[in-house]
Amino acid sequence: VVLRAVGRSGTALRFADEAMRANCEVALSAVETVHIAMEHVAKELRYDRDFVLRAVALRGRALEYADPSFRGDREVVLRAVAQCGMALAFAANELQRDREVVLRAVRRHPCAATHASAELQLDPDVVDAAQRARSSA
């Protein structure tokens, strides 16, 4: 019943008991429908790197509700921005200065460039990637 409910509306997870919020399958189903469901996932899953990697692959913006330490985890952030470029907004400053991370984000969503470091916002390759992404949208 809970799995079906969160599959339709991920925010329904907030009404589930703690055992259901800690169930990986239920939690991922909720996050798959909407990133903000991650806010209602059990704390231990939000601190679990394997779970967070799977969650951000489904909804990159779930990074916002994962344990803050993952904002500086390059692999997690790369996976998040590959799914949703705007997840760059939740990355640690050092990853907003990482050229590969920023390029991946901007290729996915050109407006992600606004979350890059000032230097990378002016980088010719980042500007070009944003222009290409805009023209293909």
Side-chain angles (χ1 to χ4, degrees), residues 12-124:
L13 188 61
R14 71 177 175 241
F15 301 112
D17 66 23
E18 193 59 31
M20 287 291 104
R21 291 177 184 209
N23 179 293
C24 188
E25 181 183 6
V26 170
L28 287 172
S29 181
V31 170
E32 188 172 19
T33 65
V34 62
H35 74 278
I36 61 173
M38 186 73 161
E39 183 177 21
H40 305 292
V41 169
K43 187 175 182 177
E44 63 265 22
L45 288 179
R46 288 184 282 130
Y47 280 75
D48 181 286
R49 187 172 189 274
D50 291 331
F51 176 82
V52 171
L53 280 166
R54 292 174 66 190
V56 299
L58 294 170
R59 293 285 177 179
R61 291 186 61 180
L63 180 62
E64 179 180 4
Y65 301 100
D67 177 65
S69 67
F70 293 117
R71 294 175 179 215
D73 184 316
R74 192 169 192 274
E75 183 181 359
V76 170
V77 172
L78 278 169
R79 194 164 301 177
V81 300
Q83 197 285 321
C84 175
M86 294 304 285
L88 185 62
F90 309 109
N93 289 339
E94 71 265 10
L95 293 176
Q96 292 175 342
R97 290 189 300 268
D98 183 307
R99 196 165 191 275
E100 181 184 353
V101 171
V102 170
L103 281 170
R104 189 171 296 181
V106 169
R107 287 178 182 133
R108 188 75 174 134
H109 196 295
C111 291
T114 62
H115 301 293
S117 66
E119 317 89 71
L120 286 178
Q121 288 181 23
L122 300 174
D123 182 284

